């Protein structure tokens, strides 16, 4: 087959990547390079390779690296396994609570990790709801389920945190797959199960791998969950070691070397992933209308399975969240709405509960801006990666880079930025938004890129042949096809921004108060119940926003 | 469409940010610049009220600058070096002090108020950092989950098998409270023995968390009846929950102390105002800071309210020479990790 060449087309797609590149290079790569350059010093500033060599060959570091990779791989695998049936249900059938489930998938991201850990403990812990329930029913004197403080607990918590992303990304991709191939398979006499495994699943692989990469990197740099729920130093990850070197020892050189090691390992994995992804991505029919909008599970068994799965996942996702909600009104001291009255300023608060409403407003404004901009930047970057022939591996890697770098190292980088500009509150807002963009771009990229790759080149080519300009072809032909992927991207960007804590604190010199910051302050001053009340408000507001965003737009007649 | 919207947003943000870009500079000229950790500077911390009272008393305007936690603040100060615009720095703790005392960033200040501060709290002989509040690390017990007869009475007794899975500890690699217990055990048991104690504690620890927040959260959720925290922790529950359920355990062998210091920058051009600020912190502001931070005041003249009866002061405070910490910490942490992860 001869390659069709359309002149001047690439120039436009080059340009689309520019805004994202600018943000990433200026506000991430540059400070990162400065921070990482410390790895090539001996700690006093003189050039030396000793730190690097020592770090890369230290058996202790290698052992930690192995554990970090193993737990991330297992967590990712578990998340994929749990997520796939859900993605299948969501994309194939319409049923009650479908929208609610989609809206809830991003909720874990808005809750700061400390509340997730607490939510887990409140539900699964020795004194948690589950154990209390079992003890009451069956009359055990000791908590029967010892779920927490083990390797399994780490995987459990990571799965809770991450399978919703995979479910959401794969479902929003699958909704747009053409169903004629399945129809053909049925016509040829294949069973439903056979069709799923030989026809549907292989075509979902790009989206699955894409989402799984994201989850892998997320688990790779996990911190609080691993230490607290794992039970201690037996389960040490690279992130803990980087933290120790950077923060406790003040040894930036060692921290930078460890981080460099992480970046190299995850970078290699990403290159391998890229190779596989390119082989898999071939243009195929891509439909605008969502597949099987109104289909209901046909058989009774199917219906029961769908119900059972929905129930289990809802329980799984909701349990820790509900624990936070319940805990906000119910303490060991009894039922009380005191914290809500204080949050709504109905009751005079002794602590900083009064700053909750302005903080909510701050969070909403920042998260909305971040969601819109990050989705736009992610779309531009995706277009460029999907349509450019050269250096797309590099671009894709760059788009994922912020996920491969330890948050402590990113913190040091932001610290460099903030010490350069430390004036004016509006500038702080801008810096915070940019930092959130850097964090959100990998997610928007993962959400949009697989969908973009599925759009056949011929669509844009046809448009060009019919006389439209490259931008027109992009905006009126390709963009509308990306709507649901972009909605997913926006939801995750919004959630990440709502839940972000460290960068906000560093960059604003504590002048911008967001909801997670107030929450950490409450916890820092012993007020866990107030933090749970605030967490509840965060959960409700976010779920409402997601519900609106995930609403299916009126079906359009496209191609 | 998307693109245009994006551009609009970016341009709007840029334009909005311009006016305030210059706004901050004017302030720099006149105010005393005080760097403090985040929990001190916010509306909820002791900072704002302190500044207001100080400004009213002296007429000197003060600008508080929050810089993350205490470690981040110190790193920032060291990174800025001679170019820092800070006049005073508040909240550097005694265990981490070596890094800043190795520089010549701070200047010695022999305040008259030092006479009122017990000598065991004066961790910096050169008086470049002056102690303004302190607390002691202690195990807190949940009296509803552990009978009084079973309460541990010493570090040694904590290692008893009866406390299996009943204690929540904190990782010294990631938390200053965790580090506090590590140093406490080394001071108490000595170089040869401290690891044996940890070996036994490993069985008793339900989990070892990343930081104080998750440890104390797990504790108040009822996961375990014992947690490492501060002698001053029960105060919150008495004040806000009218509950005396959580109590600090006082051991005869003494408790590791954590002290927060304030210092004056050598580069400051406002030395007199800075000294007045430090004196204010060590006198009039003592009680408010103690209550807001849940710490003890260092000034011995200060009378504590009755609620502090629930924060019993140990008979003996233990502290470690910062020089020794800096010299051995890396090795200690490695040995600790080795024992605890076996």
């Amino acid at each position: 087959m001869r390659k069709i060449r359309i002149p001047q087309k690439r120039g436009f797609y080059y340009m689309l990547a520019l805004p994202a590149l600018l943000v990433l290079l200026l506000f991430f790569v540059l400070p990162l390079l400065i921070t990482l350059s410390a790895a090539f010093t001996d700690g006093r500033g003189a050039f030396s390779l000793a730190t690097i060599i020592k770090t890369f060959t230290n058996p202790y570091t290698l052992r930690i690296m192995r554990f970090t990779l193993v737990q991330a791989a297992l967590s990712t695998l578990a998340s994929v396994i749990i997520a796939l049936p859900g993605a299948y249900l969501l994309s194939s059938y319409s049923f009650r609570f479908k929208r609610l489930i989609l809206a809830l998938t991003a909720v874990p991201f808005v809750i700061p990790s400390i509340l997730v850990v607490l939510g887990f403990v409140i539900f699964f812990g020795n004194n948690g709801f589950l154990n209390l329930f079992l003890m009451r029913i069956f009359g055990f004197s000791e908590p029967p389920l010892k779920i927490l403080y083990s390797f399994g607990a780490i995987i459990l918590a990571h799965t809770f945190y991450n399978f919703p992303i995979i479910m959401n990304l794969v479902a929003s991709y699958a909704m747009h797959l053409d169903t004629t191939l399945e129809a053909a398979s049925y016509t040829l006499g294949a069973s439903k199960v056979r069709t799923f495994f030989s026809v549907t699943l292989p075509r979902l692989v790009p989206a699955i791998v894409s989402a799984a990469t994201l989850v892998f990197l997320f688990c790779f740099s996990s911190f609080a969950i691993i230490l607290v729920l794992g039970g201690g130093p037996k389960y040490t990850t690279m992130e803990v070691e980087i933290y120790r070197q950077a923060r406790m020892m003040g040894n930036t050189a060692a921290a930078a070397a460890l981080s460099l090691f992480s970046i190299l390992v995850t970078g290699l994995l990403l290159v391998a992933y890229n190779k596989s992804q390119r082989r898999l991505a071939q243009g195929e029919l891509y439909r605008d209308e969502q597949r099987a909008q109104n289909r209901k599970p046909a058989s009774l068994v199917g219906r029961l399975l769908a119900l059972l799965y929905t129930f289990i996942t809802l329980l799984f996702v909701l349990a820790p969240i509900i624990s936070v909600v319940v805990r906000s009104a119910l303490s060991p001291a009894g039922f009380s709405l005191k914290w809500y009255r204080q949050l709504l300023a109905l009751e005079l608060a002794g602590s900083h509960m009064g700053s909750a409403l302005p903080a909510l407003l701050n969070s909403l404004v920042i998260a909305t801006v971040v969601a819109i901009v990050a989705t736009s930047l992610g779309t531009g970057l995706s277009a460029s990666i999907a349509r450019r022939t050269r250096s797309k591996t590099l671009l894709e890697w760059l788009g994922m880079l912020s996920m491969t770098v330890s948050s402590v190292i990113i913190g040091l980088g932001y610290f460099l930025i903030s010490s350069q500009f430390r004036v004016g509150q509006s500038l702080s807002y801008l810096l915070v938004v940019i930092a959130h963009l850097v964090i959100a771009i990998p997610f928007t990229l993962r959400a949009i890129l697989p969908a973009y790759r599925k759009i056949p080149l011929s669509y844009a080519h046809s448009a060009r042949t019919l006389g439209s300009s490259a931008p027109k072809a992009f905006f009126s032909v390709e963009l509308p096809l990306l709507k649901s992927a972009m909605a997913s991207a926006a939801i995750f960007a919004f959630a990440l921004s709502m839940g972000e804590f460290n960068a906000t604190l560093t960059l604003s010199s504590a002048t911008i108060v967001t909801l997670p910051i107030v929450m950490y302050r409450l916890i820092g001053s012993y007020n866990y119940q107030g933090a749970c009340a605030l967490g509840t408000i965060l959960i409700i507001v976010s779920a409402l926003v997601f519900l609106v965003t995930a609403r299916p737009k009126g079906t359009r007649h496209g191609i | 469409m998307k693109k245009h919207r994006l551009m609009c947003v970016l341009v709007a943000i840029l334009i909005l940010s311009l006016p305030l870009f210059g706004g901050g500079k004017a302030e720099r000229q006149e105010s005393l610049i005080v760097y403090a950790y985040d929990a001190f500077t916010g509306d909820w911390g002791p900072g704002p009220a302190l500044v207001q009272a100080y400004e009213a008393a002296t007429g000197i305007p003060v600008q508080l600058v929050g810089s993350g936690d205490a470690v981040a603040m110190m790193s920032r100060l060291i990174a800025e070096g001679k170019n820092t615009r800070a006049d005073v720095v508040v909240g550097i703790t005694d265990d981490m002090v070596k890094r800043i005392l190795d520089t010549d960033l701070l200047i010695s200040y022999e305040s008259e108020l030092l006479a009122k501060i017990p000598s065991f709290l004066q961790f910096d002989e050169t008086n470049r950092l002056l102690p303004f509040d302190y607390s002691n690390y202690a195990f807190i017990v949940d009296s509803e989950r552990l009978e009084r007869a079973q309460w541990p009475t010493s570090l040694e007794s904590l290692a008893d098998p009866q406390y299996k899975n009943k204690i929540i500890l904190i990782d010294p690699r990631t938390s200053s409270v965790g580090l506090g217990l590590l140093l406490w055990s080394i001071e108490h048991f000595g170089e040869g023995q401290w690891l044996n104690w940890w070996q036994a504690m490993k069985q008793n620890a339900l989990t070892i968390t990343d930081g104080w927040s998750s440890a104390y959260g797990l504790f108040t959720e009822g996961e375990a009846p014992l947690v490492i925290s501060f002698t001053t922790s029960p105060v919150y529950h008495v004040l806000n929950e009218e509950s005396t359920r959580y109590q600090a355990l006082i051991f005869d062998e003494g408790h590791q102390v954590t002290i927060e210091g304030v210092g004056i920058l050598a580069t400051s051009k406002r030395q007199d105002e800075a000294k007045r600020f430090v004196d204010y912190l060590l006198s009039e502001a003592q009680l408010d800071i103690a209550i807001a931070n849940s710490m003890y005041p260092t000034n011995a003249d200060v009378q504590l309210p009755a609620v502090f009866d629930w924060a019993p002061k140990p008979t003996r405070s233990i502290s470690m020479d910062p020089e020794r910490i800096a010299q051995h910490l890396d090795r200690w942490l490695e040995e600790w990790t080795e024992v605890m992860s076996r």
Side-chain angles (χ1 to χ4, degrees):
Chain A
M1 217 169 79
R2 212 166 61 88
K3 255 194 169 169
I4 311 160
R5 283 188 63 92
I6 300 211
Q8 287 160 359
K9 196 175 73 70
R10 304 238 182 269
F12 172 68
Y13 287 108
Y14 271 102
M15 240 181 58
L16 282 178
L18 269 185
L21 274 185
L22 211 67
V23 168
L24 288 176
L25 286 176
L26 269 182
F27 293 95
F28 181 65
V29 177
L30 195 68
L32 180 70
L33 285 179
I34 299 173
T35 316
L36 286 185
S37 64
F40 298 94
T41 63
D42 58 0
R44 273 188 212 82
F47 178 81
S48 153
L49 282 177
T51 318
I52 298 261
I53 293 168
K54 193 180 155 218
T55 307
F56 285 27
T57 55
N58 183 352
Y60 179 65
T61 320
L62 295 177
R63 207 169 70 214
I64 292 176
M65 178 56 96
R66 202 175 55 218
F67 171 75
T68 311
L69 291 171
V70 166
Q71 62 83 16
L74 287 177
S75 302
T76 310
L77 190 68
S79 305
V80 169
I81 291 171
I82 302 277
L84 280 188
Y88 179 74
L89 282 177
L90 286 171
S91 62
S92 309
Y93 303 113
S94 78
F95 50 95
R96 226 175 285 177
F97 306 126
K98 178 172 162 175
R99 267 177 54 201
L100 185 70
I101 294 176
L102 269 177
L104 284 174
T105 53
V107 166
F109 280 88
V110 303
I111 321 171
S113 66
I114 176 145
L115 274 198
V116 171
V117 169
L118 277 186
F120 251 83
V121 169
I122 295 168
F123 192 81
F124 293 108
N126 291 342
N127 194 34
F129 294 150
L130 196 60
N131 270 322
L132 287 182
F133 177 74
L134 291 174
M135 281 159 82
R136 194 154 301 167
I137 297 283
F138 298 105
F140 297 113
S141 58
E142 284 282 303
L145 293 176
K146 306 262 186 205
I147 297 171
L148 299 185
Y149 321 118
S150 64
F151 185 69
I154 298 175
I155 307 292
L156 185 76
H158 277 165
T159 306
F160 153 77
Y161 223 43
N162 294 310
F163 94 85
I165 320 175
I166 302 183
M167 191 167 84
N168 185 316
L169 293 183
V170 174
S172 79
Y173 178 83
M175 278 175 195
H176 288 278
L177 279 185
D178 186 53
T179 48
T180 43
L181 284 177
E182 278 91 347
S185 170
Y186 295 143
T187 314
L188 292 171
S191 69
K192 272 198 135 171
V193 177
R194 173 89 200 273
T195 305
F196 175 75
F197 281 103
S198 343
V199 178
T200 312
L201 191 62
R203 288 190 298 154
L204 290 178
V205 167
I208 296 169
V209 175
S210 183
T213 314
L214 200 64
V215 168
F216 180 87
L217 292 177
F218 205 80
C219 297
F220 186 89
S221 57
S222 176
F223 188 108
I225 286 177
I226 289 186
L227 272 182
V228 180
L229 298 182
K234 202 159 51 171
Y235 303 117
T236 292
T237 54
M238 290 298 282
E239 187 80 5
V240 173
E241 205 50 27
I242 293 171
Y243 189 96
R244 167 166 92 102
Q245 292 298 348
R247 303 292 311 277
M248 301 304 274
M249 308 309 304
N251 190 344
T252 319
L258 284 165
S259 189
L260 204 60
F261 190 32
S262 294
I263 293 172
L264 286 178
V265 171
T266 47
L268 279 177
L269 288 172
L270 276 179
V271 168
Y273 145 78
N274 256 309
K275 281 235 166 79
S276 72
Q277 192 77 342
R278 216 169 310 156
R279 245 186 304 123
L280 292 163
Q282 74 285 73
E284 80 165 276
L285 282 179
Y286 194 83
R287 289 163 84 101
D288 191 20
E289 72 258 45
Q290 307 203 330
R291 78 193 229 157
Q293 280 279 350
N294 296 310
R295 224 149 47 94
K296 293 219 182 304
S299 66
L300 187 67
V301 181
R303 230 175 276 180
L304 278 177
L305 281 179
L307 203 68
L308 189 70
Y309 175 85
T310 313
F311 177 73
I312 292 174
T313 43
L314 276 187
L315 188 77
F316 197 43
V317 178
L318 288 182
I321 294 173
I322 289 176
S323 306
V324 170
V325 177
V326 171
R327 184 66 172 78
S328 69
L330 195 70
S331 73
F335 178 83
S336 159
L337 290 175
K338 179 176 166 192
W339 306 115
Y340 287 97
R341 287 200 300 274
Q342 292 194 356
L343 284 172
L344 298 171
L346 297 174
E347 189 177 297
L348 202 62
S351 58
H352 29 282
M353 297 292 276
S355 51
L357 284 184
L360 176 64
L361 201 65
N362 266 340
S363 287
L364 282 175
V365 169
I366 293 175
T368 308
V369 173
V370 168
I372 293 169
V373 179
T375 307
S376 312
L377 296 186
T379 310
L381 198 58
S382 300
S384 202
I385 292 170
R387 294 291 178 249
R388 275 172 64 166
T389 40
R390 267 174 299 151
S391 63
K392 60 182 163 197
T393 310
L394 184 71
L395 267 188
E396 196 168 353
W397 187 65
L398 203 59
M400 298 294 288
L401 188 61
S402 72
M403 287 208 69
T404 69
V405 182
S406 145
S407 65
V408 182
I409 296 291
I410 296 182
L412 287 177
Y414 288 153
F415 173 72
L416 277 172
I417 302 176
S418 66
S419 56
Q420 294 308 308
F421 323 77
R422 58 176 113 77
V423 274
Q425 181 147 28
S426 301
L427 192 70
S428 296
Y429 270 103
L430 185 64
L431 287 176
V432 167
V433 166
I434 289 172
H436 287 195
L437 285 180
V438 169
I439 295 166
I441 283 175
F443 285 79
T444 58
L445 187 65
R446 286 303 93 187
I448 298 168
L449 186 56
Y452 211 115
R453 283 197 168 126
K454 279 291 176 202
I455 303 177
L457 257 173
S458 54
Y459 290 6
H461 286 171
S462 312
R464 299 294 309 281
T465 315
L466 294 170
S468 84
S469 64
K472 179 120 201 268
F474 172 73
F475 284 114
S476 359
V477 177
E478 296 188 319
L479 265 197
L481 290 171
L482 294 171
K483 252 188 331 194
S484 83
M486 283 167 75
S488 293
I491 285 177
F492 282 113
F494 186 91
L496 282 168
S497 172
M498 282 295 267
E500 210 289 328
F501 168 68
N502 280 319
T504 313
L505 197 61
T506 319
L507 283 174
S508 70
S509 296
T511 54
I512 298 175
V513 179
T514 59
L515 225 46
I517 290 183
V518 178
M519 225 180 284
Y520 270 93
R521 279 167 189 167
L522 287 171
I523 289 171
S525 54
Y526 296 89
N527 192 348
Y528 292 84
Q529 211 180 346
C532 285
L534 210 50
T536 305
I537 292 179
L538 190 62
I539 290 165
I540 293 170
V541 169
S542 314
L544 284 178
V545 170
F546 301 154
L547 212 53
V548 172
T549 316
R551 193 172 57 195
K553 317 269 178 338
T555 23
R556 287 179 48 168
H557 287 286
I559 355 114
Chain B
M1 275 289 288
K2 262 275 125 88
K3 189 103 191 300
H4 293 180
R5 203 188 304 165
L6 150 78
M7 289 314 288
C8 289
V9 170
L10 281 181
V11 169
I13 295 171
L14 275 171
I15 292 172
L16 280 173
S17 68
L18 288 176
L20 278 131
F21 199 75
K25 281 178 185 162
E27 255 180 306
R28 257 202 251 178
Q29 312 294 317
E30 26 191 289
S31 308
L32 191 71
I33 309 282
V34 177
Y35 277 15
Y37 52 88
D38 171 57
F40 191 91
T41 56
D43 305 333
W44 61 96
L50 163 77
V51 164
Q52 214 173 19
Y54 175 76
E55 283 174 348
T58 63
I60 304 168
V62 172
Q63 193 194 341
L64 277 178
V65 180
S67 313
D69 61 20
V71 179
M73 175 179 74
M74 195 162 72
S75 304
R76 173 172 177 175
L77 210 55
I78 292 172
E80 288 174 353
K82 302 256 181 250
N83 298 320
T84 185
R85 62 195 184 113
D87 298 300
V88 176
V89 56
V90 172
I92 294 180
T93 49
D94 61 325
D95 49 359
M96 288 271 152
V97 88
K98 172 95 163 64
R99 264 169 76 201
I100 193 135
L101 289 185
D102 277 351
T103 68
D104 47 7
L105 287 172
L106 300 177
I107 198 164
S108 174
Y109 172 43
E110 314 277 342
S111 168
E112 286 175 12
L113 289 158
L114 280 170
K116 296 185 187 297
I117 298 175
S119 60
F120 79 90
L121 293 173
Q122 301 190 20
F123 59 89
D124 175 23
E125 289 165 6
T126 59
N127 289 328
R128 284 178 289 169
L129 281 165
L130 290 77
F132 70 90
D133 70 2
Y134 78 102
S135 189
N136 292 91
Y137 295 110
F139 283 88
I140 307 293
V141 64
D142 181 346
S143 61
E144 286 179 18
R145 300 196 154 260
L146 201 64
E147 305 233 346
R148 192 171 282 265
Q150 292 180 309
W151 288 6
T153 52
S154 64
L155 285 181
E156 248 138 351
S157 67
L158 275 166
D160 189 288
Q162 66 165 311
Y163 302 117
K164 184 168 163 47
N165 284 345
K166 287 197 157 70
I167 308 173
I168 298 166
L169 296 176
I170 306 174
D171 200 319
R173 294 172 299 171
T174 50
S175 154
S176 57
V177 183
L179 182 63
L181 181 61
L182 182 94
L183 300 181
W184 186 5
S185 70
I186 294 170
E187 280 285 356
H188 180 66
F189 295 105
E191 275 276 12
Q193 293 299 312
W194 69 280
L195 280 167
N196 295 339
W197 182 73
W198 280 99
Q199 180 75 43
M201 285 299 279
K202 194 166 79 175
Q203 307 305 320
N204 291 354
L206 175 72
T207 184
I208 300 174
T209 71
D210 57 327
W212 173 86
S213 301
S214 31
Y216 207 81
L218 257 58
F219 172 69
T220 48
E221 282 315 322
E223 282 295 286
L226 291 160
V227 68
I228 178 73
S229 187
F230 303 95
T231 48
T232 36
S233 297
V235 172
Y236 173 84
H237 304 287
V238 178
L239 269 181
N240 294 279
E241 296 165 356
E242 283 128 33
S243 162
T244 56
R245 173 177 174 176
Y246 306 111
Q247 295 184 27
L249 295 170
I250 299 300
F251 298 160
D252 291 339
E253 67 248 38
H255 290 245
Q256 189 75 20
V257 71
T258 173
I259 311 167
E260 292 192 297
V262 54
I264 299 170
L265 276 295
T267 43
S268 167
K269 299 195 168 54
R270 309 166 68 83
Q271 294 287 338
D272 289 341
E273 288 95 329
K275 283 176 182 168
R276 271 180 86 176
F277 185 82
V278 171
D279 282 347
Y280 191 80
L281 211 62
L282 296 180
S283 52
E284 281 100 320
Q286 282 277 294
L287 187 60
D288 289 341
I289 292 178
I291 291 171
N293 277 0
S294 274
M295 304 277 269
Y296 304 119
T298 51
N299 188 325
D301 288 353
V302 177
Q303 288 295 312
L304 284 168
V307 66
F308 270 80
D309 292 348
W310 293 99
K313 279 191 191 175
T315 44
R316 224 184 111 219
S317 276
I318 306 172
S319 58
M320 194 184 275
D321 176 23
E323 195 72 40
R324 184 170 169 219
I325 299 175
Q327 205 178 347
H328 300 294
L329 184 56
D330 211 9
R331 175 173 60 83
W332 287 334
L333 287 177
E334 258 158 43
E335 290 173 351
W336 181 87
T337 311
E338 177 62 30
V339 165
M340 299 308 279
S341 57
R342 237 191 329 242

